[in-house]
Coordinates of all heavy atoms in Angstrom, one line a residue:
M1 N 3.3 14.6 19.3 CA 3.3 14.0 18.0 C 2.9 12.6 18.0 O 3.3 11.8 18.9 CB 4.8 14.1 17.4 CG 4.9 13.5 16.0 SD 6.5 13.5 15.4 CE 6.7 15.2 14.8
K2 N 2.0 12.2 17.1 CA 1.5 10.9 16.9 C 2.7 9.9 16.5 O 3.6 10.4 15.9 CB 0.5 10.8 15.8 CG -0.8 11.5 16.1 CD -1.7 11.3 14.9 CE -2.8 12.3 15.0 NZ -3.6 12.3 13.8
S3 N 2.5 8.7 16.9 CA 3.5 7.7 16.4 C 3.3 7.4 14.9 O 2.2 7.7 14.4 CB 3.4 6.4 17.2 OG 2.2 5.6 16.7
I4 N 4.3 6.9 14.3 CA 4.2 6.6 12.9 C 3.1 5.6 12.6 O 2.3 5.7 11.7 CB 5.6 6.0 12.4 CG1 6.6 7.1 12.3 CG2 5.4 5.3 11.1 CD1 8.0 6.7 12.0
L5 N 2.9 4.6 13.5 CA 1.9 3.6 13.4 C 0.5 4.2 13.5 O -0.4 3.9 12.8 CB 2.1 2.5 14.4 CG 3.4 1.7 14.2 CD1 3.5 0.6 15.3 CD2 3.4 1.0 12.8
D6 N 0.3 5.1 14.5 CA -1.0 5.8 14.7 C -1.3 6.7 13.5 O -2.5 6.7 13.1 CB -0.9 6.6 16.0 CG -1.0 5.8 17.3 OD1 -1.4 4.6 17.2 OD2 -0.6 6.3 18.3
E7 N -0.3 7.4 13.0 CA -0.6 8.2 11.9 C -1.0 7.4 10.6 O -1.9 7.7 9.9 CB 0.7 9.1 11.6 CG 0.4 10.1 10.5 CD 1.6 11.1 10.3 OE1 2.5 11.2 11.2 OE2 1.7 11.7 9.2
A8 N -0.3 6.3 10.4 CA -0.6 5.4 9.3 C -2.0 4.9 9.4 O -2.7 4.8 8.4 CB 0.4 4.3 9.2
K9 N -2.3 4.4 10.6 CA -3.7 3.9 10.8 C -4.8 4.9 10.5 O -5.8 4.6 9.9 CB -3.8 3.3 12.2 CG -5.1 2.7 12.5 CD -4.9 1.3 12.9 CE -6.2 0.6 13.3 NZ -6.2 -0.8 12.9
E10 N -4.5 6.1 11.0 CA -5.5 7.2 10.8 C -5.6 7.5 9.3 O -6.8 7.7 8.8 CB -5.0 8.5 11.5 CG -5.9 9.6 11.4 CD -5.4 10.8 12.2 OE1 -5.3 10.7 13.5 OE2 -5.1 11.8 11.6
I11 N -4.5 7.5 8.6 CA -4.6 7.8 7.1 C -5.3 6.7 6.4 O -6.2 7.0 5.5 CB -3.2 8.0 6.6 CG1 -2.6 9.3 7.1 CG2 -3.2 8.0 5.0 CD1 -1.1 9.5 6.9
T12 N -5.0 5.5 6.7 CA -5.5 4.3 5.9 C -7.0 4.1 6.2 O -7.7 3.5 5.4 CB -4.7 3.0 6.1 OG1 -4.7 2.7 7.5 CG2 -3.3 3.2 5.6
S13 N -7.5 4.5 7.4 CA -8.9 4.3 7.7 C -9.7 5.5 7.5 O -10.9 5.5 7.7 CB -9.0 3.9 9.2 OG -8.5 4.9 10.1
G14 N -9.1 6.6 7.1 CA -9.9 7.9 7.0 C -10.2 8.2 5.5 O -10.8 7.5 4.8
A15 N -9.7 9.4 5.1 CA -10.0 10.0 3.8 C -9.6 9.1 2.7 O -10.3 8.9 1.7 CB -9.4 11.3 3.7
R16 N -8.5 8.4 2.8 CA -8.0 7.6 1.7 C -9.0 6.4 1.4 O -9.2 6.0 0.3 CB -6.6 7.0 1.9 CG -5.6 8.2 1.7 CD -4.2 7.7 1.7 NE -3.3 8.8 1.7 CZ -2.0 8.7 2.0 NH1 -1.5 7.6 2.3 NH2 -1.3 9.8 1.9
R17 N -9.5 5.8 2.5 CA -10.5 4.7 2.4 C -11.7 5.3 1.7 O -12.3 4.6 0.8 CB -10.8 4.2 3.7 CG -11.8 3.0 3.7 CD -12.0 2.4 5.0 NE -10.8 1.8 5.5 CZ -10.5 0.5 5.5 NH1 -11.4 -0.3 5.0 NH2 -9.4 0.1 6.0
K18 N -12.2 6.4 2.1 CA -13.4 7.0 1.4 C -13.1 7.3 0.0 O -13.9 7.1 -0.9 CB -13.8 8.3 2.2 CG -15.1 8.8 1.7 CD -15.7 10.1 2.2 CE -15.3 10.7 3.4 NZ -16.0 12.0 3.7
D19 N -11.9 7.8 -0.3 CA -11.6 8.2 -1.7 C -11.3 7.0 -2.6 O -11.7 7.0 -3.8 CB -10.3 9.1 -1.8 CG -10.6 10.5 -1.2 OD1 -11.7 10.9 -1.0 OD2 -9.6 11.1 -0.8
Y20 N -10.6 6.0 -2.1 CA -10.1 4.9 -2.9 C -10.8 3.5 -2.6 O -10.5 2.5 -3.3 CB -8.6 4.7 -2.8 CG -7.8 6.0 -3.0 CD1 -6.9 6.5 -2.1 CD2 -8.0 6.7 -4.2 CE1 -6.2 7.7 -2.3 CE2 -7.4 7.9 -4.4 CZ -6.4 8.4 -3.5 OH -5.8 9.5 -3.7
G21 N -11.6 3.4 -1.6 CA -12.2 2.1 -1.3 C -11.3 1.4 -0.3 O -10.3 1.9 0.2
T22 N -11.7 0.2 0.0 CA -11.0 -0.6 1.0 C -9.6 -1.0 0.4 O -9.5 -1.0 -0.8 CB -11.7 -1.9 1.4 OG1 -11.8 -2.8 0.2 CG2 -13.1 -1.6 1.9
P23 N -8.6 -1.4 1.2 CA -7.4 -1.9 0.7 C -7.6 -3.1 -0.3 O -6.9 -3.1 -1.3 CB -6.6 -2.3 1.9 CG -7.1 -1.4 3.0 CD -8.6 -1.2 2.7
L24 N -8.5 -4.0 0.1 CA -8.7 -5.1 -0.8 C -9.2 -4.7 -2.2 O -8.7 -5.1 -3.2 CB -9.7 -6.1 -0.2 CG -10.0 -7.4 -1.0 CD1 -8.7 -8.2 -1.3 CD2 -11.0 -8.2 -0.3
E25 N -10.2 -3.8 -2.2 CA -10.7 -3.3 -3.5 C -9.6 -2.5 -4.2 O -9.4 -2.8 -5.4 CB -11.9 -2.3 -3.2 CG -13.1 -3.0 -2.6 CD -14.1 -2.0 -2.0 OE1 -13.7 -0.8 -1.7 OE2 -15.2 -2.3 -1.9
N26 N -9.0 -1.6 -3.6 CA -8.0 -0.8 -4.3 C -6.8 -1.5 -4.8 O -6.4 -1.4 -5.9 CB -7.5 0.4 -3.4 CG -6.5 1.3 -4.1 OD1 -5.3 1.2 -3.8 ND2 -7.0 2.1 -5.0
H27 N -6.2 -2.4 -3.9 CA -5.0 -3.1 -4.3 C -5.3 -4.3 -5.3 O -4.5 -4.7 -6.1 CB -4.3 -3.7 -3.1 CG -3.7 -2.5 -2.3 ND1 -3.0 -1.5 -2.8 CD2 -3.9 -2.3 -0.9 CE1 -2.6 -0.7 -1.8 NE2 -3.2 -1.1 -0.7
T28 N -6.6 -4.8 -5.3 CA -7.0 -5.8 -6.3 C -7.0 -5.1 -7.7 O -6.5 -5.6 -8.7 CB -8.4 -6.4 -5.9 OG1 -8.2 -7.1 -4.7 CG2 -8.9 -7.3 -7.0
L29 N -7.6 -3.9 -7.7 CA -7.7 -3.2 -9.0 C -6.3 -2.8 -9.5 O -5.9 -3.0 -10.7 CB -8.5 -1.9 -8.8 CG -8.6 -1.0 -10.1 CD1 -9.1 -1.8 -11.3 CD2 -9.4 0.2 -9.8
T30 N -5.4 -2.4 -8.6 CA -4.0 -2.0 -8.9 C -3.3 -3.3 -9.5 O -2.6 -3.2 -10.5 CB -3.3 -1.5 -7.7 OG1 -3.9 -0.3 -7.3 CG2 -1.8 -1.2 -8.1
G31 N -3.5 -4.4 -8.9 CA -2.9 -5.7 -9.3 C -3.4 -6.1 -10.7 O -2.6 -6.5 -11.5
R32 N -4.6 -5.8 -11.0 CA -5.2 -6.1 -12.3 C -4.6 -5.2 -13.4 O -4.2 -5.6 -14.5 CB -6.7 -6.0 -12.3 CG -7.4 -7.1 -11.6 CD -8.9 -7.0 -11.7 NE -9.6 -8.0 -10.9 CZ -10.7 -7.8 -10.2 NH1 -11.3 -6.6 -10.3 NH2 -11.2 -8.8 -9.6
L33 N -4.5 -3.9 -13.0 CA -4.0 -2.9 -14.0 C -2.5 -3.2 -14.2 O -2.0 -3.1 -15.4 CB -4.2 -1.5 -13.4 CG -5.6 -1.0 -13.4 CD1 -5.8 0.3 -12.6 CD2 -6.2 -0.9 -14.8
W34 N -1.7 -3.5 -13.2 CA -0.3 -3.7 -13.4 C -0.1 -5.0 -14.2 O 0.8 -5.0 -15.1 CB 0.4 -4.0 -12.0 CG 0.7 -2.7 -11.2 CD1 0.4 -1.4 -11.6 CD2 1.2 -2.7 -9.9 NE1 0.8 -0.6 -10.6 CE2 1.3 -1.3 -9.5 CE3 1.6 -3.6 -9.0 CZ2 1.7 -0.9 -8.3 CZ3 2.1 -3.2 -7.8 CH2 2.2 -1.8 -7.4
A35 N -0.9 -6.0 -14.0 CA -0.7 -7.2 -14.8 C -1.1 -7.0 -16.2 O -0.4 -7.5 -17.1 CB -1.6 -8.3 -14.2
E36 N -2.1 -6.2 -16.5 CA -2.5 -5.9 -17.8 C -1.4 -5.1 -18.5 O -1.0 -5.4 -19.6 CB -3.8 -5.1 -17.8 CG -4.3 -4.7 -19.2 CD -4.8 -5.9 -20.0 OE1 -5.2 -6.9 -19.4 OE2 -4.7 -5.8 -21.3
Y37 N -0.9 -4.1 -17.8 CA 0.2 -3.3 -18.4 C 1.5 -4.1 -18.7 O 2.1 -3.9 -19.7 CB 0.6 -2.2 -17.4 CG 1.6 -1.2 -17.9 CD1 1.3 -0.2 -18.8 CD2 2.9 -1.4 -17.5 CE1 2.3 0.7 -19.2 CE2 3.9 -0.5 -17.9 CZ 3.6 0.5 -18.8 OH 4.6 1.3 -19.3
L38 N 1.8 -5.0 -17.8 CA 3.0 -5.9 -18.0 C 2.7 -7.1 -18.9 O 3.6 -7.9 -19.1 CB 3.5 -6.4 -16.6 CG 4.0 -5.2 -15.7 CD1 4.3 -5.8 -14.3 CD2 5.3 -4.6 -16.3
K39 N 1.5 -7.2 -19.3 CA 1.0 -8.4 -20.1 C 1.3 -9.7 -19.4 O 1.7 -10.7 -20.1 CB 1.7 -8.3 -21.5 CG 1.3 -7.1 -22.3 CD 2.0 -7.0 -23.6 CE 1.6 -5.9 -24.5 NZ 1.1 -4.7 -24.0
L40 N 1.0 -9.7 -18.2 CA 1.1 -11.0 -17.4 C -0.2 -11.8 -17.6 O -1.3 -11.3 -17.9 CB 1.3 -10.7 -15.9 CG 2.5 -9.8 -15.5 CD1 2.5 -9.5 -14.0 CD2 3.8 -10.6 -15.9
P41 N -0.1 -13.1 -17.4 CA -1.2 -14.0 -17.7 C -2.3 -14.0 -16.5 O -3.4 -14.4 -16.7 CB -0.6 -15.4 -17.8 CG 0.7 -15.3 -17.0 CD 1.2 -13.9 -17.2
A42 N -1.9 -13.4 -15.4 CA -2.8 -13.4 -14.3 C -2.6 -12.1 -13.5 O -1.5 -11.5 -13.5 CB -2.6 -14.6 -13.3
P43 N -3.6 -11.7 -12.7 CA -3.4 -10.4 -11.9 C -2.4 -10.6 -10.8 O -2.1 -11.7 -10.4 CB -4.8 -10.2 -11.3 CG -5.7 -11.1 -12.0 CD -4.9 -12.2 -12.6
I44 N -1.8 -9.5 -10.4 CA -0.9 -9.5 -9.3 C -1.8 -9.4 -8.0 O -2.8 -8.6 -8.0 CB 0.0 -8.3 -9.3 CG1 0.9 -8.4 -10.6 CG2 0.9 -8.2 -8.1 CD1 1.7 -7.2 -10.9
S45 N -1.6 -10.2 -7.0 CA -2.5 -10.3 -5.9 C -2.4 -9.0 -5.1 O -1.4 -8.3 -5.1 CB -2.1 -11.4 -4.9 OG -0.9 -11.1 -4.3
P46 N -3.5 -8.6 -4.4 CA -3.5 -7.4 -3.6 C -2.4 -7.5 -2.5 O -1.8 -6.4 -2.2 CB -4.9 -7.3 -3.0 CG -5.5 -8.7 -3.1 CD -4.8 -9.3 -4.3
E47 N -2.1 -8.6 -2.0 CA -1.0 -8.8 -1.0 C 0.3 -8.4 -1.6 O 1.1 -7.7 -1.0 CB -0.9 -10.2 -0.5 CG -2.1 -10.7 0.3 CD -3.2 -11.4 -0.6 OE1 -3.2 -11.2 -1.9 OE2 -4.1 -12.1 -0.1
M48 N 0.6 -8.8 -2.9 CA 1.8 -8.5 -3.5 C 1.9 -7.0 -3.9 O 3.0 -6.4 -3.9 CB 2.0 -9.4 -4.8 CG 2.3 -10.9 -4.4 SD 3.6 -11.2 -3.2 CE 5.0 -10.5 -4.1
V49 N 0.8 -6.4 -4.2 CA 0.7 -5.0 -4.5 C 1.2 -4.2 -3.2 O 2.0 -3.3 -3.3 CB -0.7 -4.5 -4.9 CG1 -0.8 -3.0 -4.9 CG2 -1.1 -5.1 -6.2
C50 N 0.7 -4.6 -2.1 CA 1.2 -4.0 -0.8 C 2.7 -4.1 -0.7 O 3.4 -3.2 -0.4 CB 0.5 -4.6 0.4 SG -1.3 -4.2 0.5
M51 N 3.2 -5.4 -0.9 CA 4.6 -5.6 -0.7 C 5.5 -4.8 -1.7 O 6.5 -4.3 -1.4 CB 4.9 -7.1 -0.8 CG 4.3 -7.9 0.3 SD 4.8 -7.5 1.9 CE 6.5 -8.0 1.9
M52 N 5.0 -4.7 -3.0 CA 5.7 -4.0 -4.0 C 5.7 -2.5 -3.7 O 6.7 -1.8 -4.0 CB 5.1 -4.3 -5.4 CG 5.4 -5.7 -5.8 SD 4.5 -6.4 -7.2 CE 5.1 -5.3 -8.5
N53 N 4.6 -2.0 -3.1 CA 4.6 -0.6 -2.7 C 5.6 -0.3 -1.6 O 6.2 0.7 -1.6 CB 3.2 -0.1 -2.3 CG 2.3 0.1 -3.5 OD1 2.7 0.7 -4.5 ND2 1.0 -0.3 -3.4
I54 N 5.7 -1.2 -0.7 CA 6.7 -1.1 0.4 C 8.1 -1.1 -0.2 O 8.9 -0.3 0.2 CB 6.5 -2.2 1.4 CG1 5.2 -2.0 2.2 CG2 7.7 -2.3 2.4 CD1 4.8 -3.2 3.1
L55 N 8.3 -2.0 -1.1 CA 9.7 -2.0 -1.8 C 10.0 -0.8 -2.5 O 11.1 -0.3 -2.5 CB 9.7 -3.2 -2.7 CG 9.8 -4.6 -2.0 CD1 9.7 -5.7 -3.1 CD2 11.1 -4.7 -1.2
Q56 N 9.0 -0.1 -3.1 CA 9.2 1.1 -3.8 C 9.6 2.2 -2.8 O 10.5 3.0 -3.1 CB 7.9 1.6 -4.5 CG 8.1 3.0 -5.2 CD 6.9 3.5 -5.8 OE1 5.8 3.3 -5.3 NE2 7.0 4.1 -7.0
K57 N 9.0 2.2 -1.6 CA 9.4 3.2 -0.6 C 10.8 2.9 -0.1 O 11.6 3.8 0.1 CB 8.4 3.1 0.6 CG 7.0 3.6 0.2 CD 7.1 5.1 -0.2 CE 5.8 5.7 -0.5 NZ 5.8 7.1 -0.7
V58 N 11.2 1.6 0.0 CA 12.5 1.3 0.5 C 13.5 1.7 -0.6 O 14.6 2.3 -0.3 CB 12.6 -0.2 0.7 CG1 14.1 -0.7 0.9 CG2 11.8 -0.6 1.9
S59 N 13.2 1.5 -1.9 CA 14.0 1.9 -3.0 C 14.3 3.4 -3.0 O 15.4 3.9 -3.1 CB 13.4 1.5 -4.3 OG 14.1 2.0 -5.4
R60 N 13.2 4.2 -2.8 CA 13.4 5.6 -2.7 C 14.3 6.1 -1.6 O 15.1 7.0 -1.7 CB 12.0 6.3 -2.6 CG 11.2 6.2 -3.9 CD 9.9 6.9 -3.7 NE 9.1 6.8 -5.0 CZ 7.9 7.3 -5.1 NH1 7.3 7.8 -4.1 NH2 7.3 7.2 -6.3
S61 N 14.1 5.4 -0.4 CA 15.0 5.7 0.7 C 16.4 5.4 0.5 O 17.3 6.1 0.8 CB 14.5 5.0 2.0 OG 13.2 5.5 2.4
A62 N 16.6 4.3 -0.2 CA 18.0 3.9 -0.5 C 18.6 4.9 -1.5 O 19.8 5.3 -1.3 CB 18.0 2.5 -1.1
A63 N 17.9 5.3 -2.5 CA 18.4 6.3 -3.5 C 18.7 7.6 -2.8 O 19.7 8.3 -3.1 CB 17.4 6.5 -4.6
A64 N 17.9 8.0 -1.8 CA 18.1 9.3 -1.2 C 19.1 9.2 0.0 O 19.5 10.2 0.6 CB 16.7 9.8 -0.6
K65 N 19.5 7.9 0.3 CA 20.4 7.6 1.4 C 19.9 8.0 2.7 O 20.7 8.3 3.6 CB 21.8 8.2 1.1 CG 22.4 7.6 -0.2 CD 23.8 8.2 -0.4 CE 24.5 7.6 -1.5 NZ 23.9 7.3 -2.7
S66 N 18.6 8.1 2.8 CA 17.9 8.4 4.1 C 16.5 8.1 4.1 O 15.9 8.1 3.0 CB 18.1 9.8 4.6 OG 17.4 10.7 3.7
A67 N 15.9 7.8 5.2 CA 14.5 7.6 5.3 C 13.8 8.8 6.0 O 14.3 9.3 6.9 CB 14.2 6.3 6.1
T68 N 12.7 9.2 5.4 CA 12.0 10.3 6.0 C 10.8 9.7 6.9 O 10.4 8.6 6.7 CB 11.4 11.2 5.0 OG1 10.4 10.5 4.2 CG2 12.5 11.8 4.1
R69 N 10.3 10.6 7.7 CA 9.2 10.1 8.5 C 8.0 9.8 7.6 O 7.3 8.8 7.8 CB 8.8 11.3 9.5 CG 7.7 10.9 10.5 CD 7.3 12.0 11.4 NE 6.7 11.7 12.6 CZ 5.6 11.0 12.8 NH1 5.1 10.3 11.8 NH2 5.0 10.8 13.9
D70 N 7.8 10.6 6.6 CA 6.7 10.3 5.6 C 6.8 9.0 5.0 O 5.9 8.3 4.8 CB 6.7 11.4 4.5 CG 5.5 11.3 3.6 OD1 4.4 11.4 4.0 OD2 5.8 11.0 2.4
T71 N 8.1 8.6 4.6 CA 8.3 7.3 4.0 C 7.9 6.2 5.0 O 7.3 5.2 4.6 CB 9.8 7.1 3.6 OG1 10.0 8.1 2.5 CG2 10.1 5.7 3.1
C72 N 8.3 6.4 6.2 CA 8.0 5.4 7.3 C 6.5 5.3 7.5 O 6.0 4.2 7.7 CB 8.7 5.7 8.6 SG 10.5 5.6 8.5
V73 N 5.8 6.4 7.5 CA 4.3 6.4 7.6 C 3.7 5.6 6.4 O 2.8 4.8 6.6 CB 3.8 7.8 7.7 CG1 2.3 7.8 7.6 CG2 4.2 8.5 9.0
D74 N 4.2 5.9 5.2 CA 3.7 5.2 4.1 C 4.0 3.7 4.2 O 3.1 2.9 3.8 CB 4.3 5.7 2.8 CG 3.8 7.1 2.4 OD1 2.8 7.5 3.0 OD2 4.4 7.7 1.5
I75 N 5.1 3.3 4.6 CA 5.5 1.8 4.7 C 4.5 1.2 5.8 O 4.0 0.1 5.5 CB 6.9 1.6 5.1 CG1 7.8 1.9 3.9 CG2 7.2 0.2 5.6 CD1 9.3 2.0 4.2
A76 N 4.3 1.9 6.9 CA 3.4 1.4 7.9 C 2.0 1.3 7.4 O 1.3 0.3 7.7 CB 3.5 2.3 9.1
G77 N 1.6 2.3 6.5 CA 0.3 2.2 6.0 C 0.1 1.0 5.0 O -1.0 0.4 5.1
F78 N 1.1 0.8 4.2 CA 1.0 -0.4 3.3 C 1.0 -1.7 4.1 O 0.3 -2.7 3.8 CB 2.1 -0.4 2.3 CG 1.9 0.6 1.2 CD1 2.8 1.6 1.0 CD2 0.7 0.6 0.4 CE1 2.6 2.6 0.0 CE2 0.5 1.6 -0.6 CZ 1.5 2.6 -0.8
A79 N 1.7 -1.7 5.2 CA 1.7 -2.9 6.1 C 0.3 -3.1 6.8 O -0.2 -4.2 6.9 CB 2.8 -2.8 7.1
E80 N -0.3 -2.0 7.2 CA -1.6 -2.0 7.7 C -2.6 -2.5 6.7 O -3.5 -3.3 7.0 CB -2.0 -0.6 8.2 CG -3.4 -0.4 8.7 CD -3.7 -1.2 9.9 OE1 -2.8 -1.4 10.8 OE2 -4.9 -1.6 10.2
N81 N -2.5 -2.0 5.4 CA -3.4 -2.5 4.4 C -3.2 -4.0 4.2 O -4.2 -4.7 4.0 CB -3.1 -1.8 3.1 CG -3.6 -0.4 3.1 OD1 -4.3 0.1 3.9 ND2 -3.1 0.4 2.1
L82 N -2.0 -4.5 4.2 CA -1.7 -5.9 4.0 C -2.3 -6.7 5.1 O -2.9 -7.7 4.9 CB -0.2 -6.1 3.9 CG 0.3 -7.6 3.8 CD1 -0.3 -8.3 2.6 CD2 1.8 -7.6 3.8
D83 N -2.2 -6.2 6.3 CA -2.8 -6.9 7.5 C -4.3 -7.0 7.3 O -4.9 -8.1 7.5 CB -2.4 -6.2 8.8 CG -3.0 -6.9 10.0 OD1 -2.7 -8.1 10.2 OD2 -3.7 -6.2 10.7
E84 N -4.9 -5.9 6.9 CA -6.4 -6.0 6.7 C -6.8 -7.0 5.6 O -7.7 -7.7 5.8 CB -6.9 -4.6 6.4 CG -8.4 -4.5 6.2 CD -8.9 -3.2 6.0 OE1 -8.4 -2.2 6.5 OE2 -9.9 -3.1 5.2
I85 N -6.0 -7.0 4.5 CA -6.3 -7.9 3.5 C -6.1 -9.4 4.0 O -7.0 -10.2 3.7 CB -5.4 -7.6 2.2 CG1 -5.8 -6.3 1.6 CG2 -5.5 -8.8 1.2 CD1 -4.7 -5.8 0.6
L86 N -5.1 -9.6 4.7 CA -4.9 -11.0 5.2 C -5.9 -11.4 6.2 O -6.4 -12.6 6.2 CB -3.5 -11.1 5.8 CG -2.3 -11.0 4.9 CD1 -1.0 -10.9 5.7 CD2 -2.3 -12.1 3.9
R87 N -6.4 -10.5 7.0 CA -7.4 -10.8 8.0 C -8.8 -11.0 7.3 O -9.7 -11.6 7.9 CB -7.5 -9.7 9.0 CG -6.4 -9.8 10.0 CD -6.5 -8.7 11.2 NE -6.2 -7.4 10.7 CZ -7.1 -6.4 10.7 NH1 -8.3 -6.6 11.2 NH2 -6.8 -5.2 10.3
S88 N -9.0 -10.4 6.1 CA -10.3 -10.6 5.4 C -10.5 -11.9 4.8 O -11.6 -12.2 4.3 CB -10.4 -9.4 4.4 OG -9.6 -9.7 3.3
K89 N -9.4 -12.7 4.7 CA -9.5 -14.0 4.0 C -9.8 -15.1 4.9 O -9.5 -15.1 6.1 CB -8.2 -14.2 3.2 CG -8.1 -13.2 2.1 CD -6.9 -13.5 1.2 CE -7.1 -12.6 0.0 NZ -6.2 -13.0 -1.1

């Protein structure tokens, strides 16, 4: 079985990248949409989008009173996306 980190890296660099664009592109658009929906004066940064997605996964795990492997893979994937965004600047 692959490690959680290897699985997350494979997912974020494979089909999802082809379907949704780079993490910077996708999370920038998400930040703009969230800000518009919330009527904020400025977009939410792509870095904050990654962190907020991680927090959503943590919240779901807390509500379920357990963490699943899938949740851990998703958290690792958002952390991988964040790392790529930070390295691109």
Side-chain angles (χ1 to χ4, degrees):
M1 177 184 281
K2 293 178 196 172
S3 77
I4 287 169
L5 297 175
D6 288 339
E7 188 174 339
K9 183 121 178 142
E10 184 177 296
I11 291 168
T12 59
S13 64
R16 287 192 187 162
R17 181 176 296 260
K18 189 183 342 179
D19 292 341
Y20 306 129
T22 67
L24 180 60
E25 293 166 338
N26 181 256
H27 295 308
T28 296
L29 177 57
T30 300
R32 287 181 184 147
L33 291 170
W34 284 356
E36 181 70 26
Y37 181 80
L38 296 169
K39 298 181 178 18
L40 299 177
I44 297 168
S45 73
E47 297 91 341
M48 293 307 298
V49 169
C50 291
M51 296 301 289
M52 290 167 65
N53 282 321
I54 290 169
L55 289 172
Q56 179 185 37
K57 292 297 182 174
V58 170
S59 171
R60 287 180 178 175
S61 291
K65 296 182 177 38
S66 68
T68 64
R69 187 180 198 310
D70 183 64
T71 294
C72 293
V73 170
D74 287 348
I75 289 170
F78 287 122
E80 174 68 28
N81 287 347
L82 177 57
D83 181 55
E84 182 176 327
I85 292 166
L86 293 172
R87 285 185 287 118
S88 72
K89 292 186 171 191

